Amino acid sequence: MTMYKPISKSNLSSQIAECIENLILDQKLKVGDKLPSEMELAEQFHTSRNIVREAISMLKERGLVEVRNGSGAYVVRPEPSTLGSVMKRLVTVGATDAYEIYEIRMALEVRACGMAAVNAEAGEVEILKQLIAKMEQNYSDNIMWSKYDYQFHEKLAEMTHSTLFPVFLRPLISMVYDLSDQQPRTTKARKNGIEQHKKIVEAVEKGDRQEAEGAMERHLQIFLDDLLKEKEEGLT
């Protein structure tokens, strides 16, 4: 018996995409499985190949399938960047405030920093120190400073040695840097940020989970307070 059944005539492509997505989420279609051809899907859904093509494009955008030239569409494992795209759309259309996103980042990254202190492997703390050195060398350049700052926080997420922390934190961190690009940090704020990063590294190097979480929480709160202050000053 076929898994694909006829659907109503309104929003056909969206309904087809949702139907196939549900089959993937229910594990009836697994990573690596090939979808039926456009013609077969069109026949089973009682619609046109153009409508099916639109549905496949939606699934591709969601990171659930990939289309291989001359072969067809296959179920794939979603990439972390897919989550970032969803979050950016939420902010862009106004459904979620950027500062609301930042608070979620704070909640996750404080915990992640504590886990990094416990799980850090040999050599990883040295990478953090090297990134801080690069931030010090480039503190007068907002773009370069932000680049190494991003890498610092990304590395900390990886040092949790958890699969999910980097997946969730990368897009959250990236969105905050997009926001700070619109409101570049002052030189003073960047210098202060470097000192805060050093305190984080000291705690992580000691393996002190509580101290690491406290240092990260203070750093992120100061960063948020600075952004809000700079935003208010820009409006006056």
Side-chain angles (χ1 to χ4, degrees):
M1 186 170 67
T2 180
M3 295 186 293
Y4 309 96
K5 299 178 181 179
I7 55 180
S8 65
K9 299 300 181 181
S10 61
N11 299 317
L12 291 176
S13 56
S14 295
Q15 289 185 66
I16 292 170
E18 183 178 356
C19 175
I20 296 174
E21 180 174 349
N22 286 336
L23 290 172
I24 294 171
L25 295 177
D26 291 340
Q27 294 287 294
K28 293 178 180 177
L29 286 172
K30 296 181 171 53
V31 172
D33 286 352
K34 180 181 178 181
L35 298 185
S37 68
E38 288 180 1
M39 182 177 294
E40 291 172 315
L41 287 172
E43 290 175 354
Q44 293 188 42
F45 282 115
H46 293 184
T47 188
S48 70
R49 292 179 64 179
N50 283 339
I51 295 296
V52 168
R53 196 171 295 122
E54 290 176 10
I56 298 299
S57 293
M58 291 179 186
L59 293 168
K60 183 179 177 182
E61 184 179 345
R62 296 172 194 175
L64 294 172
V65 303
E66 69 173 8
V67 179
R68 302 173 189 172
N69 290 335
S71 181
Y74 292 80
V75 178
V76 295
R77 193 181 311 280
E79 294 293 327
S81 58
T82 305
L83 177 61
S85 298
V86 172
M87 291 181 178
K88 286 183 178 180
R89 283 199 294 270
L90 284 172
V91 173
T92 301
V93 300
T96 303
D97 186 88
Y99 295 101
E100 203 174 322
I101 293 290
Y102 189 81
E103 289 185 351
I104 298 298
R105 174 195 164 178
M106 288 178 67
L108 288 175
E109 194 166 10
V110 167
R111 176 73 172 179
C113 191
M115 288 183 64
V118 174
N119 298 328
E121 295 180 351
E124 289 185 314
V125 173
E126 187 58 35
I127 293 174
L128 296 181
K129 291 179 179 179
Q130 291 170 5
L131 289 169
I132 290 176
K134 290 178 180 179
M135 291 168 68
E136 288 182 306
Q137 294 165 10
N138 294 275
Y139 78 89
S140 60
D141 184 329
N142 187 66
I143 293 175
M144 294 302 294
W145 185 89
S146 293
K147 172 186 173 182
Y148 296 123
D149 189 21
Y150 174 86
Q151 291 177 3
F152 178 94
H153 288 273
E154 182 182 44
K155 183 60 184 175
L156 266 176
E158 293 170 358
M159 287 167 63
T160 63
H161 297 283
S162 159
T163 303
L164 291 178
F165 269 112
V167 169
F168 281 97
L169 279 171
R170 281 194 188 106
L172 290 170
I173 294 168
S174 178
M175 290 181 69
V176 172
Y177 285 106
D178 288 344
L179 176 63
S180 62
D181 282 345
Q182 299 168 21
Q183 298 170 234
R185 310 297 310 286
T186 64
T187 301
K188 179 181 178 182
R190 289 196 290 272
K191 282 186 177 180
N192 290 339
I194 290 170
E195 296 307 310
Q196 294 155 24
H197 282 74
K198 288 179 178 178
K199 290 178 181 178
I200 291 169
V201 172
E202 287 173 8
V204 170
E205 190 169 27
K206 288 192 295 186
D208 190 321
R209 182 172 195 156
Q210 187 173 356
E211 184 178 335
E213 290 183 354
M216 178 60 78
E217 184 173 14
R218 285 189 294 274
H219 167 58
L220 294 176
Q221 188 60 57
I222 290 170
F223 185 92
L224 178 59
D225 291 343
D226 285 347
L227 280 180
L228 291 171
K229 182 180 178 181
E230 289 163 12
K231 182 180 180 182
E232 289 173 0
E233 290 175 350
L235 295 174
T236 59

